[in-house]
């Protein structure tokens, strides 16, 4: 449940960042989410990022595609050797998930590193 | 360990981000995939939403409020209070729909493609610069800039385009910018001039000087004159034969001999010529011949059919001007159109205005060339060509002579260096207005006086301007800047070392061929000869032999003409060439007994009405038969080397040989022992038709529409953005000149009664965006031969139009 809140948070952060930054906003959204995320384990962190990224990119693309009756998607699909609109939507979600996931993972691992050195310091 | 994991994650992230951000990473043919797939930035943003409603734009650059009403086909109707605002808004809305098309057309013409596409297109860019396209545009733009009218309109249009570009976020760039990963650059008056030169390049750069010289050298004068007569005696010229010329050739000495031509063979690998499939029809019928007693004007320019379409439909309105028609994205104004008083349209003039001169260099340094024994220095032009991915730009050096740029040359070799004399290079002589002004005056025109005045500003590419007015006048002027040539001058490569090889001036505008209200009650042009040979000035060129004659024949027979008759004529698939040739072909088979497939084929052809209908088989069979017979007849026609160009006899000449000189030696086939004549050639050719097609006859897709395979291709050759097969009839020799990649790019019919009534259609749509429903929505209507009513709105609240979107520009 808590993880779902983080997925939602990531979607919101991503949507906001995308208004100001180029396409790699989704990776940044992963970073930001990853920093506040109290996930227990790298896999969880990764999963939140993948889900958040895929949801934001796939969802928004789906929304745009529905309003366009799939016109653009069928043209671009043809450009990539005859992919259907659904495949393009999945690919979009995949890209979003990939970069979103990498973002949360980087942030999580960075934080672990930082916390570990803090912990090591306090032990001294 | 933890550190390693962290560094690994960061490393993978950075590499992948970089990879998906790069244009063609590792030379792979990929656009930046991350950027492209991001729904906030990439192609999903080009998925046009169904938009409607009212929007307000606050732009710097307009003086007063402007309203733009987009109708149900996305045609903008612009209502402004003054000219500057009008053309500002035209620039703005054109860019909104066609920005990439504007950019790429200008790049392709001016030799600026490598800057965005890389080294693979550098050779093409170099050739464009060498041919002087950019130089020509610079000369024209300089002239536009000193004409108060052209400058005012051009500057306003430019500001409008740039206002749109400035307000554009990268996410809103047209899809092609994203795929090729580059940014739109600001527009300029020079770019509009480049656009005019791109039209000149398509329409008045065809020439056969090298091929003609080679053929003359190969076969000798007698054969040349026999096979390549300049004038088809059956021709029905644009200016009716009964028009008399009340002037002699002003600046030409009648006694001057034909300029000496050089006899040698030209081994030049010539640059690609513009398509020979370009052409057009226009005509105007006077009220004497129409059912309603008011003139009707029709025009259908046949150009390369592309997506985005070459035309952009528009209405332009101010308190002093109200005009509707099609515009060219990149130039201000309406090019073919009408207002409440007059209508106008164009077809191309085929006069040869591009000649080649062989240069005699003073020495190997090629710094000076000889004219009448006197050395003259060349001037050097340095063109900088940016190349994407290259460390430094390429500098192209062109030698300029009084004959024009030296286009064909070889460094340090004994070579026939050739300079290109082209009318489109010339800086226009001082006038009050130029091409931009011409269309402005037409848009504002009220009568024939305004029409003739408007045409004085227009030089190139020369066009047959047709005209009709509500006052009842019809007219047609073969309009442009034409060189005065001695007989046969420019037919062959000329000697650049003699001053007398030069053109002896230009035909005064009062003396270009024109006709006003002829007795026969109509004017028409379809790229045929401008006049009969009695016109006082010599001209040569490439002229159509069939469409014009057929149209004149049809218009001559018509009475009580209605709009439907005009539509039927524009859509007529009748080929006069087939009508003249097929009976001769069939006569050769008269005493031959045939069976099976051969019999069936003959039967199909005998029953044919010469119409290239989509569902007919006969057109395929006739075309095949005709071309096989042609090839068998002219089997001697081989260039001595692959690089060389030679001239082939025209189709009409071949038909007249079949008709009049059946035992001519050219009919003998070289490969065989026997002596062939026209009949035996036609029979052998027929045999080839049978062999090729006897098994196809039952095939459902064996018909003209599939065989011709018309498709409308994307301007940037992105196949995914092409149209599907457009199943239509038509052929180049019929009024409905639909070819595989070319055809009627706009059909317009205007009746000039008390209320103007107009109809039009072009194959494509108003939007240049492949993700828009308005990208290709009119193709089907066009293919079916239907028209849209064109609404010349009287004001912004005119209810003849149902607004889709309304923009208010403050």
């Amino acid at each position: 449940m808590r993880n779902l809140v983080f997925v939602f948070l990531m979607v919101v952060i991503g949507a906001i960042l995308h208004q100001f930054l180029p396409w790699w906003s989704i990776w940044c959204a992963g970073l930001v989410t990853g920093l506040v995320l109290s996930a227990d384990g790298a896999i969880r962190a990764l999963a939140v990022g993948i889900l958040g990224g895929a949801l934001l990119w796939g969802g928004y693309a789906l929304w745009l595609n529905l309003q366009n009756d799939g016109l653009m998607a069928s043209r671009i699909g043809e450009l990539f050797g005859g992919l259907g609109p659904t495949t393009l939507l999945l690919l979009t979600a995949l890209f979003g998930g990939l970069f979103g996931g990498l973002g949360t993972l980087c942030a999580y691992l960075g934080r672990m590193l930082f916390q570990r050195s803090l912990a090591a310091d306090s032990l001294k | 360990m933890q550190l390693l994991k962290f560094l690994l994650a960061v490393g993978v992230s950075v590499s992948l981000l970089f990879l998906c951000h790069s244009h063609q990473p590792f030379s792979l043919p990929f656009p930046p995939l991350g950027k492209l797939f991001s729904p906030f930035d990439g192609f999903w943003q080009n998925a046009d939403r169904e938009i409607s409603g009212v929007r307000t734009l606050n732009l710097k650059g307009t003086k007063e409020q402007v309203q733009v009403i987009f109708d149900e086909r996305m045609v903008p109707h612009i209502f402004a209070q003054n000219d500057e605002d009008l053309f500002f808004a035209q620039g703005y809305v054109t860019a909104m729909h066609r920005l990439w098309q504007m950019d790429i057309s200008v790049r392709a013409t001016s030799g600026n493609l490598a800057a965005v596409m890389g080294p693979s297109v550098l050779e093409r860019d170099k050739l464009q610069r060498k041919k002087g396209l950019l130089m020509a545009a610079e000369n024209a733009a300089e002239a536009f800039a000193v004409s108060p009218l052209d400058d005012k309109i051009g500057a306003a249009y430019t500001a409008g385009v740039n206002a749109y570009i400035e307000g554009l976020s990268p996410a809103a760039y047209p899809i092609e910018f994203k795929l090729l990963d580059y940014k739109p650059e600001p527009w300029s008056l020079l770019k509009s001039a480049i656009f005019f030169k791109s039209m000149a390049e398509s329409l008045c750069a065809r020439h056969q000087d090298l091929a003609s010289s080679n053929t003359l050298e190969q076969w000798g004068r007698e054969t040349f004159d026999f096979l390549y007569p300049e004038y088809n005696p059956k021709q029905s010229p644009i200016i009716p034969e009964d028009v008399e010329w009340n002037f002699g050739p002003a600046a030409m000495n009648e006694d001057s001999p034909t300029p000496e031509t050089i006899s040698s063979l030209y081994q030049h690998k010539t640059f690609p010529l513009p398509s020979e499939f370009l052409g057009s029809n226009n005509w105007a019928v006077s009220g004497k011949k129409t059912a309603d007693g008011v003139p009707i004007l029709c025009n259908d320019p046949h150009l390369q059919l592309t997506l985005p379409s070459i035309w952009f439909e528009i209405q332009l309105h101010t308190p002093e001007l109200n005009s509707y028609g099609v515009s060219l994205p990149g130039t201000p104004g309406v090019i073919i159109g009408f207002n409440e008083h007059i209508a106008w349209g164009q077809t191309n003039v085929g006069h040869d205005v591009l000649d080649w001169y062989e240069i005699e260099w003073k020495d190997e340094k090629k710094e000076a060339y000889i004219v009448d024994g006197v050395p003259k220095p060349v001037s050097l032009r340095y063109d900088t060509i940016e190349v994407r991915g290259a460390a430094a730009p390429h500098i192209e050096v062109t030698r300029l002579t009084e004959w024009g740029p030296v286009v064909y040359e070889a460094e340090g070799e004994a070579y026939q260096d050739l300079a290109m004399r082209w009318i489109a290079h010339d800086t226009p002589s001082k006038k009050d207005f130029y091409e931009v002004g011409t269309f402005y005056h037409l848009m504002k025109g009220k009568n024939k006086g305004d029409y003739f005045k408007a045409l004085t500003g227009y030089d190139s590419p020369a066009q047959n301007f047709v005209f009709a007015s509500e006052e009842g006048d019809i007219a047609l002027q073969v309009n442009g800047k034409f060189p005065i040539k001695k007989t046969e001058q420019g037919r062959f490569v000329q000697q650049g070392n003699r001053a007398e090889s030069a053109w002896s001036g230009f035909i005064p505008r009062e003396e270009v061929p024109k006709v006003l209200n002829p007795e026969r009650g109509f004017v028409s042009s379809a790229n045929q000869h401008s006049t009969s040979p009695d016109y006082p000035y010599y001209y040569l060129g490439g002229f159509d032999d069939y469409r014009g004659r057929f149209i004149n024949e049809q218009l001559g027979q018509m009475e009580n003409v209605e709009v439907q008759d005009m539509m039927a004529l524009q859509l007529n698939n009748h080929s006069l060439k087939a009508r003249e040739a097929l009976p001769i072909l069939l006569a050769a088979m008269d005493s031959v007994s045939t069976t099976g497939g051969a019999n069936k084929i003959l039967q199909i052809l005998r029953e044919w009405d010469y119409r290239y209908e989509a569902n007919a088989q006969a057109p395929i069979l006739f075309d095949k038969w005709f071309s096989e017979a042609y090839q068998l007849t002219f089997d001697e026609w081989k260039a001595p080397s692959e690089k060389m160009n030679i001239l082939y006899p025209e189709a009409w000449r071949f038909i007249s040989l079949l008709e009049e000189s059946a035992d001519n030696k050219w009919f003998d086939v070289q490969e065989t022992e026997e002596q062939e004549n026209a009949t035996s050639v036609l029979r052998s050719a027929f045999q080839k038709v049978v062999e090729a097609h006897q098994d196809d006859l039952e095939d459902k897709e064996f018909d003209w529409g599939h065989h011709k395979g018309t498709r409308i291709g994307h301007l940037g050759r992105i196949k995914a953005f092409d149209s599907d097969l457009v199943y239509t009839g038509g052929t180049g020799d019929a009024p409905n000149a639909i070819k595989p990649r070319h055809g009627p790019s706009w059909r317009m019919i205007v009746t000039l009664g008390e209320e103007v009534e107009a109809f039009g259609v072009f194959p494509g749509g108003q939007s240049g965006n492949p993700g828009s429903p308005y990208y290709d929505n009119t193709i089907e209507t066009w293919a079916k031969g239907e028209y849209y009513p064109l609404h010349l709105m009287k004001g912004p609240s005119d209810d003849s139009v149902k607004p889709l979107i309304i923009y208010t520009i403050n």
Side-chain angles (χ1 to χ4, degrees), chain B residues 53 95 104 158 211 234 402 441 459 467 526 583 639 656 666 675 712 757 793 810:
Chain B
I104 206 72
T158 299
K234 290 185 180 169
E402 65 184 55
H441 282 297
D459 282 349
F467 164 84
S656 69
W666 302 111
Q675 174 74 37
I712 307 183
E757 241 196 309
M793 294 169 70
N810 290 316

PDB file of all heavy atoms in Angstrom, chain B residues 53 95 104 158 211 234 402 441 459 467 526 583 639 656 666 675 712 757 793 810:
ATOM      1  N   GLY B  53     -13.370  25.379 -31.229  1.00  0.00           N
ATOM      2  CA  GLY B  53     -13.585  26.401 -30.231  1.00  0.00           C
ATOM      3  C   GLY B  53     -12.898  27.709 -30.571  1.00  0.00           C
ATOM      4  O   GLY B  53     -12.473  27.936 -31.693  1.00  0.00           O
ATOM      5  N   ALA B  95       2.748  28.585 -41.291  1.00  0.00           N
ATOM      6  CA  ALA B  95       3.777  27.927 -40.484  1.00  0.00           C
ATOM      7  C   ALA B  95       3.143  26.933 -39.511  1.00  0.00           C
ATOM      8  O   ALA B  95       3.664  25.844 -39.263  1.00  0.00           O
ATOM      9  CB  ALA B  95       4.597  28.967 -39.729  1.00  0.00           C
ATOM     10  N   ILE B 104      12.128  22.321 -45.384  1.00  0.00           N
ATOM     11  CA  ILE B 104      12.855  21.340 -46.190  1.00  0.00           C
ATOM     12  C   ILE B 104      12.878  21.754 -47.664  1.00  0.00           C
ATOM     13  O   ILE B 104      13.863  21.512 -48.369  1.00  0.00           O
ATOM     14  CB  ILE B 104      12.274  19.914 -45.996  1.00  0.00           C
ATOM     15  CG1 ILE B 104      13.348  18.857 -46.281  1.00  0.00           C
ATOM     16  CG2 ILE B 104      11.075  19.658 -46.855  1.00  0.00           C
ATOM     17  CD1 ILE B 104      14.416  18.752 -45.244  1.00  0.00           C
ATOM     18  N   THR B 158       7.151  37.192 -43.320  1.00  0.00           N
ATOM     19  CA  THR B 158       8.297  36.678 -42.569  1.00  0.00           C
ATOM     20  C   THR B 158       8.071  36.833 -41.063  1.00  0.00           C
ATOM     21  O   THR B 158       8.311  35.901 -40.288  1.00  0.00           O
ATOM     22  CB  THR B 158       9.573  37.446 -42.986  1.00  0.00           C
ATOM     23  OG1 THR B 158       9.780  37.233 -44.380  1.00  0.00           O
ATOM     24  CG2 THR B 158      10.787  36.981 -42.204  1.00  0.00           C
ATOM     25  N   ALA B 211      22.172  16.703 -75.194  1.00  0.00           N
ATOM     26  CA  ALA B 211      21.622  15.557 -75.923  1.00  0.00           C
ATOM     27  C   ALA B 211      21.447  15.899 -77.400  1.00  0.00           C
ATOM     28  O   ALA B 211      21.739  15.094 -78.288  1.00  0.00           O
ATOM     29  CB  ALA B 211      20.294  15.156 -75.306  1.00  0.00           C
ATOM     30  N   LYS B 234       0.077  19.445 -86.570  1.00  0.00           N
ATOM     31  CA  LYS B 234      -1.289  19.288 -86.038  1.00  0.00           C
ATOM     32  C   LYS B 234      -1.532  20.137 -84.792  1.00  0.00           C
ATOM     33  O   LYS B 234      -2.636  20.153 -84.251  1.00  0.00           O
ATOM     34  CB  LYS B 234      -1.530  17.821 -85.662  1.00  0.00           C
ATOM     35  CG  LYS B 234      -1.623  16.897 -86.853  1.00  0.00           C
ATOM     36  CD  LYS B 234      -1.998  15.498 -86.367  1.00  0.00           C
ATOM     37  CE  LYS B 234      -2.099  14.543 -87.548  1.00  0.00           C
ATOM     38  NZ  LYS B 234      -2.204  13.149 -87.089  1.00  0.00           N
ATOM     39  N   GLU B 402      30.510  35.539 -67.835  1.00  0.00           N
ATOM     40  CA  GLU B 402      29.369  36.303 -68.340  1.00  0.00           C
ATOM     41  C   GLU B 402      28.286  35.361 -68.879  1.00  0.00           C
ATOM     42  O   GLU B 402      27.162  35.776 -69.115  1.00  0.00           O
ATOM     43  CB  GLU B 402      29.807  37.302 -69.406  1.00  0.00           C
ATOM     44  CG  GLU B 402      30.352  36.672 -70.678  1.00  0.00           C
ATOM     45  CD  GLU B 402      30.854  37.731 -71.660  1.00  0.00           C
ATOM     46  OE1 GLU B 402      31.697  38.544 -71.244  1.00  0.00           O
ATOM     47  OE2 GLU B 402      30.395  37.740 -72.816  1.00  0.00           O
ATOM     48  N   HIS B 441      -1.434  42.210 -56.726  1.00  0.00           N
ATOM     49  CA  HIS B 441      -2.282  42.964 -57.651  1.00  0.00           C
ATOM     50  C   HIS B 441      -3.396  42.100 -58.231  1.00  0.00           C
ATOM     51  O   HIS B 441      -4.492  42.600 -58.498  1.00  0.00           O
ATOM     52  CB  HIS B 441      -1.432  43.578 -58.764  1.00  0.00           C
ATOM     53  CG  HIS B 441      -0.688  44.813 -58.326  1.00  0.00           C
ATOM     54  ND1 HIS B 441      -1.340  45.952 -57.924  1.00  0.00           N
ATOM     55  CD2 HIS B 441       0.641  45.073 -58.206  1.00  0.00           C
ATOM     56  CE1 HIS B 441      -0.453  46.876 -57.581  1.00  0.00           C
ATOM     57  NE2 HIS B 441       0.767  46.354 -57.739  1.00  0.00           N
ATOM     58  N   ASP B 459       8.515  37.627 -63.680  1.00  0.00           N
ATOM     59  CA  ASP B 459       9.538  37.214 -64.650  1.00  0.00           C
ATOM     60  C   ASP B 459       9.655  35.701 -64.831  1.00  0.00           C
ATOM     61  O   ASP B 459       9.742  35.183 -65.939  1.00  0.00           O
ATOM     62  CB  ASP B 459      10.918  37.735 -64.209  1.00  0.00           C
ATOM     63  CG  ASP B 459      11.097  39.212 -64.533  1.00  0.00           C
ATOM     64  OD1 ASP B 459      10.249  39.758 -65.266  1.00  0.00           O
ATOM     65  OD2 ASP B 459      12.069  39.817 -64.042  1.00  0.00           O
ATOM     66  N   PHE B 467      -7.200  34.324 -67.437  1.00  0.00           N
ATOM     67  CA  PHE B 467      -7.936  35.368 -66.723  1.00  0.00           C
ATOM     68  C   PHE B 467      -9.385  35.407 -67.174  1.00  0.00           C
ATOM     69  O   PHE B 467      -9.694  35.174 -68.343  1.00  0.00           O
ATOM     70  CB  PHE B 467      -7.252  36.709 -67.020  1.00  0.00           C
ATOM     71  CG  PHE B 467      -8.075  37.932 -66.697  1.00  0.00           C
ATOM     72  CD1 PHE B 467      -8.101  38.442 -65.397  1.00  0.00           C
ATOM     73  CD2 PHE B 467      -8.809  38.578 -67.683  1.00  0.00           C
ATOM     74  CE1 PHE B 467      -8.857  39.582 -65.100  1.00  0.00           C
ATOM     75  CE2 PHE B 467      -9.570  39.708 -67.390  1.00  0.00           C
ATOM     76  CZ  PHE B 467      -9.580  40.214 -66.096  1.00  0.00           C
ATOM     77  N   ALA B 526      -2.343  24.290 -72.327  1.00  0.00           N
ATOM     78  CA  ALA B 526      -2.004  23.009 -71.702  1.00  0.00           C
ATOM     79  C   ALA B 526      -0.568  22.649 -72.072  1.00  0.00           C
ATOM     80  O   ALA B 526      -0.286  21.547 -72.521  1.00  0.00           O
ATOM     81  CB  ALA B 526      -2.987  21.930 -72.129  1.00  0.00           C
ATOM     82  N   PRO B 583      -5.624   3.365 -84.215  1.00  0.00           N
ATOM     83  CA  PRO B 583      -6.108   2.872 -85.511  1.00  0.00           C
ATOM     84  C   PRO B 583      -4.963   2.449 -86.432  1.00  0.00           C
ATOM     85  O   PRO B 583      -5.099   1.470 -87.179  1.00  0.00           O
ATOM     86  CB  PRO B 583      -6.858   4.083 -86.084  1.00  0.00           C
ATOM     87  CG  PRO B 583      -7.295   4.856 -84.885  1.00  0.00           C
ATOM     88  CD  PRO B 583      -6.183   4.693 -83.892  1.00  0.00           C
ATOM     89  N   ALA B 639      23.555   5.602 -77.192  1.00  0.00           N
ATOM     90  CA  ALA B 639      24.611   6.578 -76.970  1.00  0.00           C
ATOM     91  C   ALA B 639      25.949   5.856 -77.072  1.00  0.00           C
ATOM     92  O   ALA B 639      26.068   4.711 -76.640  1.00  0.00           O
ATOM     93  CB  ALA B 639      24.455   7.205 -75.594  1.00  0.00           C
ATOM     94  N   SER B 656       3.566  10.054 -86.766  1.00  0.00           N
ATOM     95  CA  SER B 656       3.470  10.550 -88.139  1.00  0.00           C
ATOM     96  C   SER B 656       4.340   9.726 -89.085  1.00  0.00           C
ATOM     97  O   SER B 656       4.007   9.555 -90.255  1.00  0.00           O
ATOM     98  CB  SER B 656       3.813  12.041 -88.215  1.00  0.00           C
ATOM     99  OG  SER B 656       5.177  12.246 -87.964  1.00  0.00           O
ATOM    100  N   TRP B 666      14.256   3.693 -90.778  1.00  0.00           N
ATOM    101  CA  TRP B 666      14.363   3.551 -89.319  1.00  0.00           C
ATOM    102  C   TRP B 666      13.565   2.370 -88.806  1.00  0.00           C
ATOM    103  O   TRP B 666      13.812   1.867 -87.724  1.00  0.00           O
ATOM    104  CB  TRP B 666      13.918   4.837 -88.611  1.00  0.00           C
ATOM    105  CG  TRP B 666      14.728   6.001 -89.066  1.00  0.00           C
ATOM    106  CD1 TRP B 666      14.324   7.058 -89.809  1.00  0.00           C
ATOM    107  CD2 TRP B 666      16.132   6.185 -88.845  1.00  0.00           C
ATOM    108  NE1 TRP B 666      15.367   7.902 -90.074  1.00  0.00           N
ATOM    109  CE2 TRP B 666      16.493   7.396 -89.484  1.00  0.00           C
ATOM    110  CE3 TRP B 666      17.130   5.466 -88.171  1.00  0.00           C
ATOM    111  CZ2 TRP B 666      17.779   7.895 -89.479  1.00  0.00           C
ATOM    112  CZ3 TRP B 666      18.417   5.958 -88.158  1.00  0.00           C
ATOM    113  CH2 TRP B 666      18.733   7.164 -88.806  1.00  0.00           C
ATOM    114  N   GLN B 675      14.314  -7.061 -94.000  1.00  0.00           N
ATOM    115  CA  GLN B 675      14.073  -5.619 -94.052  1.00  0.00           C
ATOM    116  C   GLN B 675      12.677  -5.366 -93.482  1.00  0.00           C
ATOM    117  O   GLN B 675      11.674  -5.726 -94.094  1.00  0.00           O
ATOM    118  CB  GLN B 675      14.168  -5.171 -95.516  1.00  0.00           C
ATOM    119  CG  GLN B 675      13.819  -3.734 -95.784  1.00  0.00           C
ATOM    120  CD  GLN B 675      14.918  -2.785 -95.312  1.00  0.00           C
ATOM    121  OE1 GLN B 675      16.109  -3.084 -95.418  1.00  0.00           O
ATOM    122  NE2 GLN B 675      14.515  -1.658 -94.761  1.00  0.00           N
ATOM    123  N   ILE B 712       0.756   8.928 -53.410  1.00  0.00           N
ATOM    124  CA  ILE B 712       1.205  10.272 -53.075  1.00  0.00           C
ATOM    125  C   ILE B 712       2.263  10.132 -51.996  1.00  0.00           C
ATOM    126  O   ILE B 712       1.985   9.666 -50.897  1.00  0.00           O
ATOM    127  CB  ILE B 712       0.019  11.151 -52.643  1.00  0.00           C
ATOM    128  CG1 ILE B 712      -1.047  11.072 -53.760  1.00  0.00           C
ATOM    129  CG2 ILE B 712       0.466  12.576 -52.401  1.00  0.00           C
ATOM    130  CD1 ILE B 712      -2.239  11.931 -53.547  1.00  0.00           C
ATOM    131  N   GLU B 757     -19.126  31.829 -57.808  1.00  0.00           N
ATOM    132  CA  GLU B 757     -19.300  30.452 -57.352  1.00  0.00           C
ATOM    133  C   GLU B 757     -18.035  29.696 -57.712  1.00  0.00           C
ATOM    134  O   GLU B 757     -17.586  29.764 -58.861  1.00  0.00           O
ATOM    135  CB  GLU B 757     -20.483  29.830 -58.095  1.00  0.00           C
ATOM    136  CG  GLU B 757     -21.610  29.402 -57.199  1.00  0.00           C
ATOM    137  CD  GLU B 757     -22.535  28.461 -57.946  1.00  0.00           C
ATOM    138  OE1 GLU B 757     -22.967  28.817 -59.067  1.00  0.00           O
ATOM    139  OE2 GLU B 757     -22.791  27.373 -57.420  1.00  0.00           O
ATOM    140  N   MET B 793     -15.891  34.109 -48.056  1.00  0.00           N
ATOM    141  CA  MET B 793     -16.737  34.728 -47.028  1.00  0.00           C
ATOM    142  C   MET B 793     -16.725  36.244 -47.180  1.00  0.00           C
ATOM    143  O   MET B 793     -15.705  36.839 -47.498  1.00  0.00           O
ATOM    144  CB  MET B 793     -16.232  34.343 -45.633  1.00  0.00           C
ATOM    145  CG  MET B 793     -16.376  32.861 -45.328  1.00  0.00           C
ATOM    146  SD  MET B 793     -15.481  32.401 -43.811  1.00  0.00           S
ATOM    147  CE  MET B 793     -16.485  33.199 -42.554  1.00  0.00           C
ATOM    148  N   ASN B 810      -4.362  39.357 -31.295  1.00  0.00           N
ATOM    149  CA  ASN B 810      -4.281  40.747 -30.816  1.00  0.00           C
ATOM    150  C   ASN B 810      -2.880  41.298 -30.979  1.00  0.00           C
ATOM    151  O   ASN B 810      -1.915  40.596 -30.795  1.00  0.00           O
ATOM    152  CB  ASN B 810      -4.679  40.821 -29.352  1.00  0.00           C
ATOM    153  CG  ASN B 810      -6.158  40.568 -29.184  1.00  0.00           C
ATOM    154  OD1 ASN B 810      -6.964  41.103 -29.945  1.00  0.00           O
ATOM    155  ND2 ASN B 810      -6.510  39.727 -28.219  1.00  0.00           N
TER     156      ASN B 810
END
